[in-house]
Amino acid sequence: MGRLRRSRTHKAQRDVHRASRTRARKRDLDQIQLYDLRPAARAALERQPLDIEKPGLAQHYCVECARYFESDAALQTHWRSKLHKRRCKKLREPAYTIEEAEWAAGLGRELSKPKTGFSNEPLGATH
């Protein structure tokens, strides 16, 4: 009849190790927002000189995803893909600032409390 057990039982662990590798690390969203999406930097990235070390001689580059492609057809297909559209949607959101990160961790000082329509005083209470 044959074996019924799956051959790879530690797949999830392997994927975690692959995701944590730094040798093929892509640029983070905040780096792309701050540097690469500026018009001058974008033009430089889209018109790179020939480089034999990079895929497609560095002529087919997606700025939003920070990826090189072998051909123009592959780049056009990538632009229509869900991965590219999701990445563009994330890039439209503003990047977190250092102050927001410190405030979320409880380290920053709170300048003003959020305004809500509710108060902590009971109804009918007067001063």
Side-chain angles (χ1 to χ4, degrees):
M1 182 81 177
R3 193 166 66 170
L4 298 176
R5 172 177 75 82
R6 288 182 52 204
S7 61
R8 289 192 177 149
T9 57
H10 300 286
K11 179 182 181 296
Q13 184 177 6
R14 181 186 65 190
D15 290 343
V16 168
H17 290 299
R18 281 186 182 175
S20 65
R21 288 183 186 161
T22 57
R23 69 173 178 198
R25 181 152 173 81
K26 289 191 235 173
R27 294 176 66 87
D28 291 325
L29 291 174
D30 57 345
Q31 293 173 325
I32 293 172
Q33 283 179 338
L34 292 176
Y35 306 115
D36 294 348
L37 291 181
R38 292 180 293 160
R42 184 182 188 105
L45 286 171
E46 289 175 348
R47 292 176 189 85
Q48 295 182 27
L50 293 176
D51 186 2
I52 60 171
E53 299 292 325
K54 295 180 179 164
L57 301 175
Q59 297 303 300
H60 313 286
Y61 184 72
C62 177
V63 178
E64 290 85 3
C65 299
R67 287 185 61 186
Y68 291 96
F69 292 92
E70 287 289 329
S71 65
D72 191 43
L75 181 60
Q76 298 290 333
T77 304
H78 166 73
W79 283 340
R80 292 188 302 269
S81 70
K82 282 187 179 181
L83 293 174
H84 178 77
K85 291 176 183 177
R86 284 184 198 142
R87 184 82 167 202
C88 289
K89 187 175 180 180
K90 287 180 185 176
L91 285 171
R92 280 188 221 113
E93 298 174 2
Y96 288 111
T97 61
I98 294 172
E99 291 81 20
E100 287 177 324
E102 289 176 350
W103 182 79
L107 300 176
R109 52 186 190 128
E110 200 170 327
L111 297 176
S112 64
K113 295 190 178 198
K115 305 271 189 219
T116 61
F118 303 105
S119 65
N120 292 336
E121 297 177 5
L123 292 175
T126 59
H127 291 282

